[in-house]
Amino acid sequence: MKSLIKLSIASLCTALVMPLAAQAQETTLRVVSGFAENLSYVIRMQQMFDKINKEGKGVLQMNFIGGPKAIPPFEVGNAVKTGVVDMALTTGAFYTNLMPEADALKMTQLTITEQRKSGAFDLINEIWAKKANMYYLGRMGEQQPFYLYLTKKIDKADLTGLKLRITPVYRDFFQALGGTVITTAPGEVYTALERGVVDGYGWPLTGLFDQNWQKMTKFRVEPGFYNAEVSLVVNLDVWKKLNPKQRELLQKHMLEFEGDNTAYWKKNSEDEVKRQEQAGIQTIKFDAATAKQYLDKAYESGWAGVIKNSPEYGPKLKQALSK
Ligand code: 173
């Protein structure tokens, strides 16, 4: 009799626990990237996903669907916002159509690790949730500036008469220097150069060779400016539905990769500079005074643009991301 009662109590418990067990089932997140699959940002993300998938059996799995062929770069943000995909590796410049604030992350003077400590990370998440229904998970690409690459030589910081391929990253700055700008996704840069539609473009150090642009590039203008931002963003509803174990797993690996960012991007930058030099890309180096004016203009025009488009959050972001 006793054992019979025990047995039925046991089955009752199982029945009660069932919904919980169902909740704890493995979740798979569908992920796209705003950058081509062979770029360093995406390769690094996949290394992180490999680790998560190994450790997350029965808990959480990452399913990388693909890059720009799956969803065009400037549409990736909206796909995350609306839940067409669960997560994306992208950059703020690709979703300024959703929120102009996204482009401010390029101007941070704090590392992502410092942003997490200073409260900047919380501010970002407050804005991203409100404006784009996103959880800002963390930063994959940082500590590498953007550069102006040219097919024609310049001898001063004046872009008058030059047509330049941009994304929102470079718009205010290149225009402030007198340039004529044309917005394209990275996938259209090669053809634009080949056809002479543009005389140059903005881009960081990594990825020229992966997209074959070295063939069309003659000069890199020094110094670089800003801090190329590539981050993982998650649909906020999806993020809220993850259980604590799933969130912890994601965050643990994100933090681990962020911790390696400094070393990783330093080495990557050194390698890319050498490789560009070997490929015959010459540097145009401004003297110290011109370089200072060039950088001052980059930040002044960049922040002015963000603040103009977001009077509410622009000043707050400037304060939180500047030293
Ligand atoms: O396409 C771009 O030039 C761009 O906006 C960008 C942003 C971050 C990393 C690399 C490129």
Side-chain angles (χ1 to χ4, degrees), residues 35-237:
F35 295 97
E37 288 92 341
N38 62 337
L39 291 201
S40 56
Y41 307 118
V42 185
I43 291 170
R44 205 162 140 71
M45 175 196 77
Q46 285 187 275
Q47 285 166 355
M48 180 173 130
F49 287 1
D50 287 346
K51 287 192 165 182
I52 294 174
N53 288 347
K54 229 182 234 164
E55 205 180 310
K57 292 216 168 73
V59 179
L60 184 71
Q61 293 291 295
M62 312 304 291
N63 174 17
F64 177 50
I65 299 164
K69 281 187 203 108
I71 297 184
F74 298 133
E75 287 166 37
V76 164
N78 203 41
V80 175
K81 182 186 179 185
T82 56
V84 169
V85 294
D86 301 318
M87 187 196 268
L89 179 80
T90 188
T91 181
F94 291 176
Y95 55 97
T96 50
N97 53 337
L98 295 184
M99 46 178 295
E101 295 86 355
D103 196 32
L105 303 182
K106 71 186 178 193
M107 285 180 287
T108 184
Q109 293 172 332
L110 277 62
T111 65
I112 185 65
T113 308
E114 289 168 333
Q115 289 173 42
R116 286 182 186 273
K117 285 189 197 130
S118 73
F121 185 81
D122 297 330
L123 175 68
I124 292 168
N125 263 303
E126 181 194 323
I127 305 169
W128 264 238
K130 191 172 154 189
K131 293 275 187 112
N133 191 38
M134 282 179 189
Y135 178 72
Y136 182 84
L137 182 68
R139 190 150 167 166
M140 272 273 135
E142 61 168 338
Q143 310 198 53
Q144 185 171 93
F146 293 101
Y147 291 85
L148 167 63
Y149 294 90
L150 293 169
T151 57
K152 294 173 182 165
K153 196 163 184 179
I154 53 166
D155 47 24
K156 49 184 195 299
D158 183 357
L159 306 178
T160 308
L162 292 176
K163 287 176 289 182
L164 303 159
R165 172 271 172 184
I166 58 147
T167 65
V169 164
Y170 325 92
R171 181 177 294 130
D172 297 307
F173 181 36
F174 290 177
Q175 280 182 334
L177 294 172
T180 302
V181 298
I182 302 163
T183 304
T184 84
E188 288 146 38
V189 173
Y190 185 91
T191 312
L193 288 165
E194 197 179 32
R195 296 193 181 152
V197 174
V198 295
D199 309 306
Y201 57 94
W203 190 261
L205 286 171
T206 190
L208 256 72
F209 294 87
D210 306 317
Q211 300 169 108
N212 245 335
W213 299 349
Q214 82 284 0
K215 283 190 183 169
M216 299 289 157
T217 307
K218 294 218 173 85
F219 304 99
R220 187 183 69 250
V221 177
E222 296 272 358
F225 49 92
Y226 305 148
N227 187 327
E229 174 263 332
V230 178
S231 303
L232 279 165
V233 286
V234 189
N235 174 280
L236 191 60
D237 308 304

